[in-house]
Amino acid sequence: MLLPTLLLALTAVVQEPEAPPIAIIHVTVLPMHTDQRLTDHTVIVAGERILAVGPTADIEVPEGARVVDGQGQFLMPGLVDFHVHTYFETDHKLFLANGVTTVRNLFGNPMHLALRARLESGELLGPTLLT
């Protein structure tokens, strides 16, 4: 399954600002502003920014970019879960593996503040944690 690999690759770019851009080519994009699928598209991501989205034939892949072949796969914005009760560190990798990039934790104690700091620093891989 490509989804966890793709999410991990994108997370790595966000956590390493000096990393080369990622070019996801030949992917079907599921935008949130329309119910249409955008087939055979390329998406260029650098750092925390999406630099380009368009038909693969029209988008030039930057030199040195990490290329991910998305043929037969779908790409959509990250999901947000605003009602979680997280306790275990392993929960956070599972959120990412299922496309959830932001969570709002409703079970808060001081350990969650430390967990949020580890997620923000990149020490621990996981979604943005609101707690």
Side-chain angles (χ1 to χ4, degrees), residues 48-128:
E48 295 182 358
R49 301 268 181 213
I50 297 172
L51 301 181
V53 177
T56 296
D58 298 342
I59 300 291
E60 185 176 331
V61 174
E63 189 170 326
R66 180 176 172 193
V67 177
V68 176
D69 186 357
Q71 189 161 2
Q73 302 296 319
F74 295 88
L75 183 64
M76 60 183 260
L79 301 173
V80 177
D81 189 337
F82 262 31
H83 190 134
V84 303
H85 300 273
T86 182
Y87 189 78
F88 301 104
E89 288 183 9
T90 53
D91 293 345
H92 300 278
K93 288 182 183 175
L94 292 173
F95 286 128
L96 285 184
N98 287 285
V100 178
T101 58
T102 302
V103 296
R104 179 174 169 235
N105 179 47
L106 300 178
F107 171 64
N109 68 42
M111 76 93 144
H112 288 100
L113 300 177
L115 180 63
R116 180 178 62 193
R118 291 179 60 211
L119 288 163
E120 288 175 351
S121 74
E123 176 187 338
L124 183 64
L125 187 61
T128 299

Side-chain angles (χ1 to χ4, degrees), residues 10-59:
L10 292 175
T11 301
V13 169
V14 170
Q15 293 176 351
E16 298 176 26
E18 302 301 320
I22 291 181
I24 306 153
I25 61 172
H26 302 293
V27 70
T28 298
V29 177
L30 302 176
M32 297 294 106
H33 70 287
T34 179
D35 61 355
Q36 296 179 349
R37 297 176 179 188
L38 306 177
T39 58
D40 196 21
H41 269 54
T42 290
V43 178
I44 309 291
V45 180
E48 295 182 358
R49 301 268 181 213
I50 297 172
L51 301 181
V53 177
T56 296
D58 298 342
I59 300 291

